[in-house]
Amino acid sequence: MVRLGIVGAGWWAQEVHAPAFQGAGARIQGVYAAGSPRAEALARAYGARAYKDYAALLEDVEAVAISTPDTAHVPLALEAVRRGRHVFLEKPVGVSLEEALALLQAVEEEGVVAMTALTARADWAAETALAHRERLGEVLVFRGAFLADYLADPLSPLPWRARVSGGGPAGVVGDLGPHLFDLAAWILGHPLEQVQARTAVLFPGRENPDWAGVLAKAGRAQGVLELSRVHPVRPQALFLELEGEKGALRVVPALAGRAEEAGLFFSERPGSWNPLPLDAGFLRGRDPREPWGLFHFRELAQRFLRAIQKGEPPTPSLREGVVAQAAIQAVLESAEEGREKEVTRV
Protein backbone atom coordinates (compact mmCIF):
# COMPACT_ATOMS: atom_id res chain seq x y z
CA MET A 1 0.00 0.00 0.00
CA VAL A 2 1.42 3.35 -1.06
CA ARG A 3 1.77 5.86 1.78
CA LEU A 4 0.51 9.17 0.39
CA GLY A 5 0.67 12.75 1.61
CA ILE A 6 -2.10 15.18 0.67
CA VAL A 7 -0.58 18.62 0.07
CA GLY A 8 -3.24 21.31 0.30
CA ALA A 9 -6.49 21.27 2.27
CA GLY A 10 -8.88 23.26 0.13
CA TRP A 11 -12.17 22.15 -1.37
CA TRP A 12 -10.52 20.19 -4.20
CA ALA A 13 -8.26 18.27 -1.83
CA GLN A 14 -11.22 17.49 0.44
CA GLU A 15 -13.81 16.53 -2.15
CA VAL A 16 -11.65 14.97 -4.88
CA HIS A 17 -8.02 14.17 -4.08
CA ALA A 18 -8.46 12.54 -0.69
CA PRO A 19 -11.49 10.33 -1.47
CA ALA A 20 -10.13 9.34 -4.89
CA PHE A 21 -6.76 8.23 -3.57
CA GLN A 22 -8.22 6.45 -0.56
CA GLY A 23 -10.70 4.69 -2.85
CA ALA A 24 -7.85 3.66 -5.15
CA GLY A 25 -6.10 1.92 -2.25
CA ALA A 26 -3.56 4.46 -1.04
CA ARG A 27 -2.97 4.97 2.66
CA ILE A 28 -3.36 8.67 3.43
CA GLN A 29 -0.52 9.16 5.85
CA GLY A 30 -0.80 12.87 6.39
CA VAL A 31 -1.90 16.32 5.25
CA TYR A 32 0.27 19.39 4.81
CA ALA A 33 -1.25 22.79 4.09
CA ALA A 34 0.88 25.73 5.18
CA GLY A 35 -1.14 28.13 7.30
CA SER A 36 -4.48 26.43 6.65
CA PRO A 37 -6.76 25.62 9.60
CA ARG A 38 -8.51 23.01 7.42
CA ALA A 39 -5.56 20.60 7.45
CA GLU A 40 -6.44 19.20 10.89
CA ALA A 41 -10.03 18.41 9.90
CA LEU A 42 -9.00 16.79 6.62
CA ALA A 43 -6.36 14.67 8.32
CA ARG A 44 -8.76 13.62 11.06
CA ALA A 45 -11.36 12.51 8.48
CA TYR A 46 -8.87 9.95 7.12
CA GLY A 47 -7.23 8.90 10.37
CA ALA A 48 -4.08 10.72 9.29
CA ARG A 49 -1.75 13.29 10.81
CA ALA A 50 -1.66 17.01 10.05
CA TYR A 51 1.93 18.06 9.43
CA LYS A 52 3.19 21.58 10.05
CA ASP A 53 6.54 20.81 8.43
CA TYR A 54 6.65 19.68 4.79
CA ALA A 55 10.02 17.96 5.17
CA ALA A 56 8.59 15.86 8.02
CA LEU A 57 5.70 14.76 5.82
CA LEU A 58 8.10 13.77 3.05
CA GLU A 59 10.03 11.60 5.50
CA ASP A 60 6.90 9.57 6.20
CA VAL A 61 5.44 9.06 2.70
CA GLU A 62 6.33 7.53 -0.66
CA ALA A 63 4.27 9.95 -2.74
CA VAL A 64 2.42 13.26 -2.57
CA ALA A 65 -0.69 14.63 -4.27
CA ILE A 66 -0.32 18.40 -4.62
CA SER A 67 -3.43 20.60 -4.75
CA THR A 68 -2.31 24.12 -3.85
CA PRO A 69 -2.29 27.55 -5.49
CA ASP A 70 -0.35 27.40 -8.76
CA THR A 71 2.63 29.41 -7.57
CA ALA A 72 3.46 26.69 -5.02
CA HIS A 73 3.24 23.70 -7.40
CA VAL A 74 6.82 23.49 -8.62
CA PRO A 75 8.59 24.43 -5.35
CA LEU A 76 6.65 21.76 -3.46
CA ALA A 77 7.03 19.17 -6.22
CA LEU A 78 10.77 19.80 -6.61
CA GLU A 79 11.39 19.28 -2.92
CA ALA A 80 9.47 16.00 -3.04
CA VAL A 81 11.23 14.75 -6.19
CA ARG A 82 14.67 15.56 -4.81
CA ARG A 83 13.84 13.34 -1.84
CA GLY A 84 12.86 10.52 -4.20
CA ARG A 85 9.11 10.88 -3.72
CA HIS A 86 6.55 10.31 -6.47
CA VAL A 87 4.38 13.29 -7.39
CA PHE A 88 0.80 13.72 -8.55
CA LEU A 89 0.49 17.38 -9.50
CA GLU A 90 -2.47 19.60 -10.25
CA LYS A 91 -2.46 21.63 -13.44
CA PRO A 92 -0.95 23.88 -14.56
CA VAL A 93 2.44 22.38 -13.78
CA GLY A 94 3.78 25.81 -12.82
CA VAL A 95 3.62 29.50 -13.55
CA SER A 96 6.30 29.47 -16.26
CA LEU A 97 7.69 27.06 -18.79
CA GLU A 98 11.16 27.50 -17.33
CA GLU A 99 10.19 26.16 -13.91
CA ALA A 100 8.07 23.38 -15.42
CA LEU A 101 11.06 22.21 -17.47
CA ALA A 102 13.24 22.30 -14.35
CA LEU A 103 10.77 19.99 -12.60
CA LEU A 104 10.63 17.65 -15.59
CA GLN A 105 14.42 17.41 -15.64
CA ALA A 106 14.51 16.61 -11.92
CA VAL A 107 11.85 13.91 -12.33
CA GLU A 108 13.79 12.25 -15.14
CA GLU A 109 17.06 12.42 -13.21
CA GLU A 110 15.52 10.91 -10.05
CA GLY A 111 13.47 8.32 -11.92
CA VAL A 112 10.29 8.92 -9.92
CA VAL A 113 6.70 8.73 -11.14
CA ALA A 114 5.12 12.10 -11.91
CA MET A 115 1.61 12.73 -13.26
CA THR A 116 -0.33 15.86 -14.16
CA ALA A 117 -4.05 16.10 -13.39
CA LEU A 118 -5.32 16.55 -16.94
CA THR A 119 -8.77 15.15 -16.31
CA ALA A 120 -9.96 14.81 -19.90
CA ARG A 121 -7.49 11.92 -20.25
CA ALA A 122 -9.75 9.92 -17.92
CA ASP A 123 -13.01 10.97 -19.58
CA TRP A 124 -14.96 8.18 -21.30
CA ALA A 125 -16.22 10.43 -24.11
CA ALA A 126 -12.70 11.62 -24.90
CA GLU A 127 -11.30 8.09 -24.75
CA THR A 128 -14.11 6.82 -27.00
CA ALA A 129 -13.36 9.65 -29.47
CA LEU A 130 -9.92 8.19 -30.18
CA ALA A 131 -11.55 5.10 -31.73
CA HIS A 132 -13.42 7.32 -34.23
CA ARG A 133 -10.57 9.67 -35.08
CA GLU A 134 -9.59 7.80 -38.27
CA ARG A 135 -13.11 8.23 -39.69
CA LEU A 136 -12.31 11.89 -40.31
CA GLY A 137 -9.44 11.39 -42.71
CA GLU A 138 -6.97 14.24 -42.52
CA VAL A 139 -8.06 16.85 -39.97
CA LEU A 140 -8.33 20.28 -41.59
CA VAL A 141 -9.83 22.49 -38.87
CA PHE A 142 -10.43 22.29 -35.13
CA ARG A 143 -12.31 24.51 -32.71
CA GLY A 144 -12.91 24.33 -29.02
CA ALA A 145 -13.76 26.24 -25.89
CA PHE A 146 -13.74 26.00 -22.13
CA LEU A 147 -16.31 28.47 -20.81
CA ALA A 148 -16.73 28.76 -17.04
CA ASP A 149 -18.64 31.14 -14.78
CA TYR A 150 -16.70 31.02 -11.53
CA LEU A 151 -15.68 34.70 -11.82
CA ALA A 152 -18.65 35.90 -13.87
CA ASP A 153 -19.81 38.27 -11.10
CA PRO A 154 -17.77 41.49 -11.40
CA LEU A 155 -18.27 42.10 -7.67
CA SER A 156 -17.25 38.65 -6.45
CA PRO A 157 -14.37 38.48 -3.95
CA LEU A 158 -11.07 37.71 -5.64
CA PRO A 159 -9.87 34.14 -5.12
CA TRP A 160 -6.19 33.24 -5.33
CA ARG A 161 -6.62 32.29 -9.00
CA ALA A 162 -7.25 35.94 -9.90
CA ARG A 163 -4.11 37.13 -8.09
CA VAL A 164 -0.54 36.91 -9.40
CA SER A 165 0.61 35.77 -5.94
CA GLY A 166 -1.55 32.63 -6.19
CA GLY A 167 -2.43 32.00 -9.82
CA GLY A 168 0.61 33.57 -11.44
CA PRO A 169 0.37 35.71 -14.58
CA ALA A 170 -1.67 33.27 -16.65
CA GLY A 171 -5.15 33.59 -15.12
CA VAL A 172 -7.71 31.68 -17.14
CA VAL A 173 -5.00 30.56 -19.60
CA GLY A 174 -3.28 28.61 -16.81
CA ASP A 175 -6.46 27.43 -15.11
CA LEU A 176 -8.61 26.21 -18.02
CA GLY A 177 -6.07 26.25 -20.84
CA PRO A 178 -4.26 23.01 -19.89
CA HIS A 179 -7.49 21.03 -20.21
CA LEU A 180 -8.33 22.43 -23.65
CA PHE A 181 -4.77 22.50 -25.03
CA ASP A 182 -4.11 18.93 -23.89
CA LEU A 183 -7.46 17.64 -25.16
CA ALA A 184 -6.73 19.15 -28.59
CA ALA A 185 -3.19 17.75 -28.73
CA TRP A 186 -4.36 14.31 -27.58
CA ILE A 187 -7.27 13.90 -29.98
CA LEU A 188 -5.41 15.52 -32.89
CA GLY A 189 -2.37 13.36 -32.21
CA HIS A 190 -0.22 16.47 -32.61
CA PRO A 191 0.72 19.25 -30.14
CA LEU A 192 -0.06 22.88 -30.81
CA GLU A 193 2.85 24.39 -32.76
CA GLN A 194 1.94 28.04 -33.37
CA VAL A 195 -0.47 30.45 -31.70
CA GLN A 196 -1.76 33.97 -32.26
CA ALA A 197 -3.56 35.09 -29.13
CA ARG A 198 -5.36 37.88 -27.33
CA THR A 199 -6.13 37.98 -23.63
CA ALA A 200 -8.18 40.40 -21.54
CA VAL A 201 -8.79 41.33 -17.93
CA LEU A 202 -12.48 42.13 -18.24
CA PHE A 203 -13.28 43.37 -14.74
CA PRO A 204 -11.29 45.86 -12.62
CA GLY A 205 -9.21 44.62 -9.72
CA ARG A 206 -8.18 41.33 -11.25
CA GLU A 207 -4.49 40.75 -11.82
CA ASN A 208 -4.48 38.17 -14.60
CA PRO A 209 -6.61 37.41 -17.68
CA ASP A 210 -10.31 36.55 -17.49
CA TRP A 211 -10.58 35.65 -21.19
CA ALA A 212 -8.40 34.44 -24.07
CA GLY A 213 -8.93 33.85 -27.77
CA VAL A 214 -6.36 31.77 -29.65
CA LEU A 215 -5.75 31.02 -33.31
CA ALA A 216 -3.65 27.87 -33.38
CA LYS A 217 -1.89 25.48 -35.72
CA ALA A 218 -1.19 21.80 -35.10
CA GLY A 219 0.46 20.03 -38.00
CA ARG A 220 -1.58 20.93 -41.10
CA ALA A 221 -4.72 21.64 -39.07
CA GLN A 222 -5.80 25.20 -38.25
CA GLY A 223 -7.89 25.96 -35.20
CA VAL A 224 -9.55 28.50 -32.93
CA LEU A 225 -9.82 28.10 -29.16
CA GLU A 226 -11.56 30.22 -26.51
CA LEU A 227 -11.15 30.32 -22.74
CA SER A 228 -13.33 32.24 -20.28
CA ARG A 229 -13.85 32.29 -16.54
CA VAL A 230 -16.49 35.03 -16.79
CA HIS A 231 -19.00 33.29 -19.08
CA PRO A 232 -22.38 34.21 -17.49
CA VAL A 233 -24.18 31.03 -18.52
CA ARG A 234 -24.28 27.84 -16.47
CA PRO A 235 -23.29 25.07 -16.64
CA GLN A 236 -19.70 25.48 -17.71
CA ALA A 237 -18.88 24.01 -21.11
CA LEU A 238 -15.85 22.24 -22.52
CA PHE A 239 -15.91 20.95 -26.09
CA LEU A 240 -13.63 20.20 -29.01
CA GLU A 241 -14.62 19.80 -32.67
CA LEU A 242 -12.44 18.32 -35.41
CA GLU A 243 -13.34 18.78 -39.08
CA GLY A 244 -11.73 16.31 -41.45
CA GLU A 245 -11.85 15.47 -45.13
CA LYS A 246 -14.57 12.86 -44.52
CA GLY A 247 -16.55 14.25 -41.60
CA ALA A 248 -16.50 15.96 -38.23
CA LEU A 249 -16.24 14.81 -34.61
CA ARG A 250 -17.50 16.72 -31.57
CA VAL A 251 -16.21 15.72 -28.12
CA VAL A 252 -17.94 16.97 -24.97
CA PRO A 253 -16.08 15.70 -21.88
CA ALA A 254 -17.97 15.51 -18.60
CA LEU A 255 -16.44 18.61 -17.05
CA ALA A 256 -19.67 20.42 -16.33
CA GLY A 257 -21.55 18.06 -14.02
CA ARG A 258 -21.91 14.32 -13.69
CA ALA A 259 -19.92 11.99 -15.92
CA GLU A 260 -23.06 10.66 -17.57
CA GLU A 261 -23.43 14.10 -19.20
CA ALA A 262 -20.42 13.47 -21.46
CA GLY A 263 -21.16 13.22 -25.16
CA LEU A 264 -19.64 12.33 -28.52
CA PHE A 265 -21.07 13.21 -31.94
CA PHE A 266 -20.17 12.52 -35.57
CA SER A 267 -21.23 14.26 -38.77
CA GLU A 268 -20.82 13.19 -42.36
CA ARG A 269 -19.62 15.84 -44.82
CA PRO A 270 -22.19 17.40 -45.21
CA GLY A 271 -24.52 16.24 -42.45
CA SER A 272 -25.77 16.87 -38.94
CA TRP A 273 -24.50 15.88 -35.51
CA ASN A 274 -25.41 12.31 -34.66
CA PRO A 275 -24.68 10.96 -31.17
CA LEU A 276 -22.23 8.08 -30.86
CA PRO A 277 -22.48 5.54 -28.02
CA LEU A 278 -19.80 5.89 -25.37
CA ASP A 279 -17.71 2.81 -24.70
CA ALA A 280 -18.77 1.53 -21.28
CA GLY A 281 -15.42 -0.26 -21.04
CA PHE A 282 -13.86 3.12 -20.34
CA LEU A 283 -15.91 3.45 -17.15
CA ARG A 284 -13.52 0.92 -15.57
CA GLY A 285 -15.94 0.25 -12.74
CA ARG A 286 -16.73 3.91 -12.06
CA ASP A 287 -20.24 5.23 -11.53
CA PRO A 288 -21.07 7.80 -14.27
CA ARG A 289 -23.53 9.48 -11.89
CA GLU A 290 -20.67 10.69 -9.70
CA PRO A 291 -19.59 14.34 -9.89
CA TRP A 292 -17.18 14.92 -12.74
CA GLY A 293 -14.14 15.67 -10.58
CA LEU A 294 -14.35 12.54 -8.48
CA PHE A 295 -15.30 10.40 -11.49
CA HIS A 296 -12.14 11.36 -13.35
CA PHE A 297 -9.82 11.32 -10.36
CA ARG A 298 -10.78 7.79 -9.38
CA GLU A 299 -9.17 6.64 -12.63
CA LEU A 300 -6.21 9.02 -12.42
CA ALA A 301 -5.45 7.90 -8.86
CA GLN A 302 -5.53 4.24 -9.95
CA ARG A 303 -3.09 4.98 -12.77
CA PHE A 304 -0.74 6.84 -10.45
CA LEU A 305 -0.64 4.00 -7.93
CA ARG A 306 -0.17 1.36 -10.65
CA ALA A 307 2.72 3.37 -12.10
CA ILE A 308 4.39 3.31 -8.68
CA GLN A 309 3.66 -0.31 -7.81
CA LYS A 310 3.87 -2.01 -11.21
CA GLY A 311 6.01 0.33 -13.29
CA GLU A 312 3.23 1.16 -15.75
CA PRO A 313 3.78 4.37 -17.74
CA PRO A 314 1.89 7.21 -16.02
CA THR A 315 -0.72 8.91 -18.16
CA PRO A 316 -1.23 11.80 -18.29
CA SER A 317 2.45 12.16 -17.56
CA LEU A 318 4.27 15.18 -16.23
CA ARG A 319 5.73 15.64 -19.71
CA GLU A 320 2.23 16.02 -21.15
CA GLY A 321 1.56 18.65 -18.51
CA VAL A 322 4.71 20.48 -19.55
CA VAL A 323 3.60 20.33 -23.21
CA ALA A 324 0.43 22.14 -22.10
CA GLN A 325 2.60 24.60 -20.14
CA ALA A 326 4.51 25.40 -23.33
CA ALA A 327 1.21 26.30 -25.02
CA ILE A 328 0.25 28.49 -22.03
CA GLN A 329 3.57 30.33 -22.28
CA ALA A 330 3.22 30.88 -26.03
CA VAL A 331 -0.33 32.21 -25.65
CA LEU A 332 0.72 34.71 -22.97
CA GLU A 333 3.74 35.86 -24.99
CA SER A 334 1.69 36.19 -28.18
CA ALA A 335 -0.91 38.30 -26.42
CA GLU A 336 1.74 40.51 -24.84
CA GLU A 337 3.81 40.96 -28.02
CA GLY A 338 0.89 41.12 -30.47
CA ARG A 339 2.34 38.57 -32.85
CA GLU A 340 2.36 34.89 -33.70
CA LYS A 341 4.53 32.73 -31.46
CA GLU A 342 6.03 29.29 -31.92
CA VAL A 343 5.17 26.86 -29.12
CA THR A 344 8.35 25.47 -27.58
CA ARG A 345 8.71 21.79 -28.37
CA VAL A 346 8.99 19.67 -25.23
Side-chain angles (χ1 to χ4, degrees):
M1 182 178 290
V2 174
R3 289 174 291 115
L4 180 81
I6 299 291
V7 182
W11 178 82
W12 200 244
Q14 296 174 40
E15 299 297 324
V16 178
H17 275 220
F21 277 102
Q22 185 189 58
R27 175 187 170 187
I28 298 178
Q29 172 69 27
V31 177
Y32 170 78
S36 173
R38 294 175 290 191
E40 288 281 357
L42 180 56
R44 190 164 51 248
Y46 289 88
R49 171 186 167 190
Y51 287 74
K52 295 185 178 180
D53 181 67
Y54 187 46
L57 172 71
L58 293 177
E59 285 294 319
D60 292 343
V61 300
E62 299 162 79
V64 291
I66 298 175
S67 176
T68 65
D70 301 346
T71 50
H73 285 181
V74 169
L76 290 166
L78 268 176
E79 188 172 348
V81 169
R82 287 168 177 163
R83 290 172 177 261
R85 304 303 183 254
H86 308 290
V87 173
F88 182 93
L89 185 61
E90 271 299 333
K91 53 77 213 165
V93 171
V95 294
S96 73
L97 179 58
E98 180 181 14
E99 69 168 12
L101 287 169
L103 176 59
L104 180 61
Q105 181 179 352
V107 164
E108 292 177 344
E109 289 174 352
E110 293 293 334
V112 298
V113 172
M115 279 182 64
T116 314
L118 298 168
T119 46
R121 298 269 181 155
D123 184 84
W124 63 326
E127 289 194 90
T128 302
L130 293 177
H132 295 274
R133 166 67 178 74
E134 294 303 317
R135 296 176 63 184
L136 304 178
E138 182 180 6
V139 176
L140 308 172
V141 171
F142 60 97
R143 68 180 57 83
F146 199 158
L147 309 175
D149 72 329
Y150 64 90
L151 284 179
D153 182 355
L155 302 179
S156 63
L158 289 190
W160 60 260
R161 295 185 188 280
R163 301 183 186 277
V164 171
S165 60
V172 71
V173 184
D175 184 22
L176 304 183
H179 291 300
L180 185 57
F181 300 155
D182 179 67
L183 178 64
W186 184 36
I187 304 298
L188 284 166
H190 202 295
L192 303 183
E193 294 177 317
Q194 296 174 334
V195 296
Q196 177 83 50
R198 296 189 69 174
T199 61
V201 178
L202 297 183
F203 298 131
R206 296 174 183 182
E207 301 174 4
N208 48 33
D210 291 318
W211 174 89
V214 184
L215 295 174
K217 183 178 179 183
R220 295 181 60 183
Q222 308 282 340
V224 58
L225 304 171
E226 182 183 5
L227 302 165
S228 177
R229 63 185 184 188
V230 294
H231 190 60
V233 180
R234 292 181 178 176
Q236 67 180 2
L238 170 64
F239 73 88
L240 177 71
E241 294 178 2
L242 279 64
E243 289 186 23
E245 298 171 303
K246 301 176 182 178
L249 193 65
R250 178 179 173 89
V251 189
V252 185
L255 297 186
R258 295 183 299 180
E260 62 186 359
E261 296 169 2
L264 183 64
F265 305 86
F266 185 80
S267 174
E268 302 287 349
R269 179 176 284 280
S272 57
W273 290 123
N274 296 302
L276 295 173
L278 303 187
D279 187 342
F282 290 126
L283 288 175
R284 300 186 182 91
R286 296 172 292 172
D287 184 349
R289 295 169 296 180
E290 280 194 306
W292 61 267
L294 190 52
F295 173 85
H296 293 94
F297 271 75
R298 288 198 188 282
E299 172 62 17
L300 294 179
Q302 290 278 6
R303 294 179 191 177
F304 183 61
L305 298 181
R306 287 199 304 266
I308 294 171
Q309 297 170 319
K310 300 181 180 180
E312 295 183 8
T315 179
S317 66
L318 177 66
R319 178 173 290 277
E320 287 157 338
V322 178
V323 169
Q325 189 81 48
I328 293 168
Q329 184 95 1
V331 165
L332 295 177
E333 291 178 357
S334 173
E336 181 178 359
E337 299 173 16
R339 63 186 180 92
E340 185 175 80
K341 294 290 291 189
E342 299 286 330
V343 179
T344 300
R345 188 170 182 176
V346 177

